[in-house]
Amino acid sequence: MAVRARQTTPGKRHAGFTLLELLVVLVIIGLLVGYVGPRYFSQVGKSEIKAARAQIKALEDSLDQYRLDVGHYPSSEQGLAALNSAPAGEARWQGPYLKKAVPNDPWGNPYQYRYPGEHGEIDLFSYGKDGQPGGAGEAADIANW
């Protein structure tokens, strides 16, 4: 099987893009990325906050189920681990109360738990993106109160 070279007629220009046309397209793409990129990444931050709120709600529901079975919430020392394995001396424990291990918050930090709480019967919260108390925006604390 022979490969034939493409024949062109003299004086006929090949179709294609010039360097200038390619540069214009790259500039337009760069402008679009510069405009859309920050908006996209701000939405990612909002979704992490929503995920943290949903996880806190699910953990709070599991803690309520624990309290219904045992008669009280786990102590601060027992922590959220009491949702997966029976604490010593808890004969009425009916768990596990979570299908999987206690998750970290969307930023990879453990959720904070206090019983008795300072803001309610229990305090369940995340320090947010910065992992420090307080903050604003994505770094704000997310809590059950």
Side-chain angles (χ1 to χ4, degrees):
M1 187 172 190
V3 176
R4 293 178 41 188
R6 194 167 104 176
Q7 296 179 355
T8 60
T9 56
K12 202 170 202 186
R13 190 170 172 212
H14 292 285
F17 297 106
T18 65
L19 180 59
L20 182 61
E21 290 168 331
L22 289 173
L23 288 175
V24 168
V25 169
L26 288 175
V27 167
I28 291 171
I29 290 172
L31 290 172
L32 286 172
V33 167
Y35 180 73
V36 174
R39 293 179 187 270
Y40 170 76
F41 287 112
S42 72
Q43 294 301 319
V44 170
K46 288 179 186 175
S47 67
E48 289 172 333
I49 292 169
K50 288 179 183 178
R53 285 190 179 128
Q55 285 179 332
I56 286 173
K57 176 67 174 137
L59 289 170
E60 191 173 27
D61 291 345
S62 297
L63 286 164
D64 287 340
Q65 185 63 46
Y66 178 99
R67 183 179 58 88
L68 287 172
D69 289 346
V70 177
H72 57 83
Y73 288 108
S75 67
S76 294
E77 292 77 29
Q78 292 168 330
L80 296 174
L83 296 174
N84 283 17
S85 58
E90 295 293 352
R92 297 183 355 204
W93 189 84
Q94 300 291 315
Y97 298 94
L98 294 173
K99 291 182 181 180
K100 298 179 181 176
V102 176
N104 285 335
D105 68 17
W107 302 279
N109 302 313
Y111 283 102
Q112 305 299 309
Y113 169 74
R114 289 189 197 129
Y115 175 74
E118 297 173 7
H119 301 277
E121 196 168 2
I122 60 169
D123 288 350
L124 185 58
F125 57 98
S126 165
Y127 285 127
K129 185 175 184 175
D130 65 353
Q132 302 295 320
E138 291 180 31
D141 297 349
I142 303 158
N144 68 332
W145 61 85

